[in-house]
Structure formats: structure tokens, C-alpha cells
Amino acid sequence: RKEVEQDPGPFNVPEGATVAFNCTYSNSASQSFFWYRQDCRKEPKLLMSVYSSGNEDGRFTAQLNRASQYISLLIRDSKLSDSATYLCVVNPPGNTGKLIFGQGTTLQVKP
Amino acid sequence: DAGITQSPRHKVTETGTPVTLRCHQTENHRYMYWYRQDPGHGLRLIHYSYGVKDTDKGEVSDGYSVSRSKTEDFLLTLESATSSQTSVYFCAISESRTGAGELFFGEGSRLTVL
């Protein structure tokens, strides 16, 4: 089993739709969690951190479920510009600096 | 955008030749990382550095070596390139040990080994 697993998609949704991605992680003692966004042939960039209490940034909401060992990203009112690959990132125990990246979920927002 | 420059951005080489990728930062961040990205695998850590001359292995370090003689430069060397090392290589920097900090990535170096 991979340490961090994501459905690679692609998720094809119309503009204005709400879409959600999940990401599961195997190590229950993992410490912190992030979502990164990567545009085609570009470098990844931090989208948001994921806190135990959940957090929201505009149309984006991230949640953590430690009991079931998954994090989620919800995008409301999808825009064409949201088309990208979303990477789930987990910081394992020990704060070694060795972040673990999921393979990413690709989102295509259509007009 | 964070000041990270990778060079070369594109390289085609032949099996068995040495290759060095350079990462240069102007942010004075302590931590630097080399990742490779391949379809179906996502980003995988090759080596990282937590200071000048302090480096450690990542998940996929076999066949790679690194050096950091100055805060601003982190070099990744493939002593004898193989076709399995065809990939996109990303350098990243951070101020902290990534527990709470953000990773800033360079634009990537696309390496093809024939």
C-alpha cells in the first residue's frame, strides 16, 4: 500500500460545479498535511495547509479525518482556472523533512 | 515568487554519461531538496540538505549524489546516467523542516537519457 494515495482522475466537471477530492495516508502518526496545486508542466505550489479543525480559503475547504486517515479538498463554484493537478502531501512522524507526496488528482473544468 | 533557479532546464544525454543539475536560491533558506516526478509516482525525494555540507538521503537516492558547499547552491549529480533516470527534476527550498513551513519549488529540469 502506498503511503499516500489519491485517485488520479481526471475529474471532468462543468464550470460552477462543486467537486471534492480525498486522499488517504497510511501512517496514523503523521503530523501535518497540505494540498499543493500543480499546473501542467509547471512547478507545484502550496494551495493550503490542512488543520485538524478544518480550514477554508474562499472557495476551497480542506478537512482532516484522523480516525479514518484521510484528508479532503472541496472546491465550490469551479472556475476554468481551477483546472490543474492537486497534490496531497503528508509530513510523516519525526519531522524529518521528508514530505510524502501523493501522485495527484487531475481536475478539468469545462465551459 | 521565491528566487529559485534550476539549470539546465532541459537536457538530453546518453546512457553512461555524467550529469549535474544545479539549483540556485537567493532566499537564504536553510533547507534544500531534490525531487523527481514521474507519471504514476508523483514527487519522490532524492536527497535533501539542512545546511552547508549537511545532506541526507531521500526515498530514491540510489544513483544520485549531492553537494552543498554554499547556502545558495545545491547540486545533484548522476555519476553515470541510466534510462530509468529520465524524469523531471524539481529543486525545492524551505525555511523550516517542512512541518509548518512551505516548500517553494524551482521550475524543473527535464532530463532525457537515451
Side-chain angles (χ1 to χ4, degrees), chain B residues 83-96:
Chain B
S83 58
S84 64
Q85 293 176 311
T86 292
S87 187
V88 180
Y89 292 86
F90 286 100
C91 174
I93 64 174
S94 69
E95 286 185 286
S96 74

Side-chain angles (χ1 to χ4, degrees), chain A residues 2-3 31-32 34 36 38 41-46 49 87 91 94-104, chain B residues 1 10 33 35 37 39-43 45 48 56-58 90 97-103 105-107 110:
Chain A
K2 290 184 178 179
E3 292 181 86
Q31 298 183 326
S32 50
F34 311 89
Y36 276 70
Q38 185 173 23
R41 301 179 78 83
K42 298 286 189 180
E43 72 274 22
K45 293 184 179 181
L46 179 66
S49 301
L87 307 175
N91 189 19
N95 199 23
T96 60
K98 300 180 181 181
L99 291 181
I100 302 170
F101 284 75
Q103 67 169 346
Chain B
D1 288 345
H10 300 273
Y33 309 81
Y35 287 88
Q37 187 172 36
H41 289 279
L43 281 154
L45 182 65
Y48 71 106
D56 201 355
K57 295 180 180 180
F90 286 100
R97 221 179 230 222
T98 67
E102 178 178 354
L103 275 181
F105 286 86
E107 293 181 305
R110 189 172 295 272

Side-chain angles (χ1 to χ4, degrees), chain A residues 8-81:
Chain A
F11 284 59
N12 295 299
V13 303
E15 271 188 290
T18 295
V19 61
F21 312 132
N22 280 347
C23 164
T24 59
Y25 60 95
S26 61
N27 193 326
S28 60
S30 296
Q31 298 183 326
S32 50
F33 308 87
F34 311 89
W35 283 103
Y36 276 70
R37 171 192 168 130
Q38 185 173 23
D39 293 321
C40 188
R41 301 179 78 83
K42 298 286 189 180
E43 72 274 22
K45 293 184 179 181
L46 179 66
L47 177 66
M48 56 199 309
S49 301
V50 187
Y51 304 119
S52 297
S53 56
N55 50 305
E56 188 174 311
D57 183 3
R59 298 181 294 107
F60 297 82
T61 300
Q63 292 196 312
L64 168 63
N65 186 319
R66 284 196 179 273
S68 300
Q69 293 179 216
Y70 75 85
I71 67 172
S72 63
L73 178 67
L74 179 77
I75 305 174
R76 290 180 297 277
D77 188 22
S78 299
K79 312 291 185 190
L80 295 176
S81 57

